[in-house]
Amino acid sequence: MLMPQEPKNLCVRFKTTALMLLALALCACASNNKEISVDKNHNFSEIKTFYIQLPVNPINEALQNHLNYKIAQNLTAKGLELAKESDADITVGYLPTTLTKDDGATLNLGLGTGSYGRSGGISLGGIFSIPVGEQVSFYQVLDINIMRDGHFIYSASGSIELESKDTISVQAKLDELVDRLLLEYPTN
């Protein structure tokens, strides 16, 4: 025979379940939004030098110089040296883009009226949506591809949300994104 649960136990279970759902939602929101692919068959210990190509799409020269510096800084920390294109073991290419996402929210309201009698009833109702605010999120997207002898050996793609569109904030977010994308590049 099933016994009714005490209200105190039910409340504790509800709070525990709510906290678990909240933690799961926060983990989902905090995802890295990155995809990395490494050629496991390639011997990365043979690689000693790298060359950074110009970005595939034209970008601001200051931003291009900053990205080149940040990529070089990460690969140098992995034990590689920057070289001329003709002397490099690998070639690094990158593609920065921006993305906007409309995060506008709406409030849905339901209105209804009804009349119920002894032998029947009439009900009228409607639902309408009101825009609560226009919210647009800006994302910096970056693809980094590393090639050796015409074959991709490392590919990383990711995005990061920009809270501000000023140059200093964008550079800081790009630094964070480059670090994240090159973190898994094998160390010599």
Side-chain angles (χ1 to χ4, degrees):
M1 182 161 118
L2 293 175
M3 299 293 289
Q5 292 184 351
E6 294 179 29
K8 188 175 183 181
N9 283 344
L10 188 60
C11 184
V12 169
R13 282 189 173 175
F14 177 77
K15 285 180 182 178
T16 304
T17 304
L19 285 174
M20 288 174 55
L21 289 174
L22 178 63
L24 181 64
L26 288 175
C27 287
C29 291
S31 69
N32 286 341
N33 293 331
K34 69 178 180 178
E35 292 182 27
I36 295 177
S37 178
V38 180
D39 182 354
K40 303 285 185 193
N41 298 323
H42 194 78
N43 184 0
F44 283 85
S45 65
E46 296 174 347
I47 300 170
K48 304 294 180 207
T49 58
F50 68 94
Y51 171 77
I52 302 174
Q53 292 180 326
L54 294 175
V56 178
N57 58 340
I59 61 171
N60 173 314
E61 187 177 342
L63 190 60
Q64 174 184 319
N65 291 337
H66 186 77
L67 277 169
N68 286 354
Y69 169 77
K70 192 62 182 172
I71 291 170
Q73 182 183 38
N74 271 271
L75 292 177
T76 302
K78 300 278 186 179
L80 303 176
E81 291 183 32
L82 185 61
K84 291 188 283 183
E85 184 175 14
S86 58
D87 299 333
D89 295 328
I90 58 173
T91 303
V92 181
Y94 62 93
L95 174 66
T97 55
T98 55
L99 174 72
T100 58
K101 181 180 172 188
D102 183 12
D103 294 332
T106 57
L107 175 63
N108 295 319
L109 297 176
L111 299 175
T113 183
S115 173
Y116 295 94
R118 187 172 163 177
S119 60
I122 298 174
S123 177
L124 301 173
I127 297 175
F128 60 95
S129 298
I130 301 172
V132 175
E134 194 171 310
Q135 299 171 358
V136 177
S137 297
F138 296 96
Y139 293 87
Q140 180 65 54
V141 181
L142 182 62
D143 296 318
I144 299 175
N145 294 301
I146 299 177
M147 294 180 62
R148 183 167 194 191
D149 300 326
H151 294 72
F152 289 100
I153 60 170
Y154 185 89
S155 179
S157 179
S159 65
I160 195 163
E161 186 173 356
L162 301 173
E163 288 90 24
S164 178
K165 290 177 27 178
D166 66 277
T167 306
I168 294 171
S169 297
V170 170
Q171 282 183 350
K173 288 295 188 174
L174 274 171
D175 288 354
E176 185 181 329
L177 186 56
V178 169
D179 290 344
R180 232 179 42 208
L181 294 179
L182 292 176
L183 181 66
E184 295 180 37
Y185 182 86
T187 305
N188 282 346

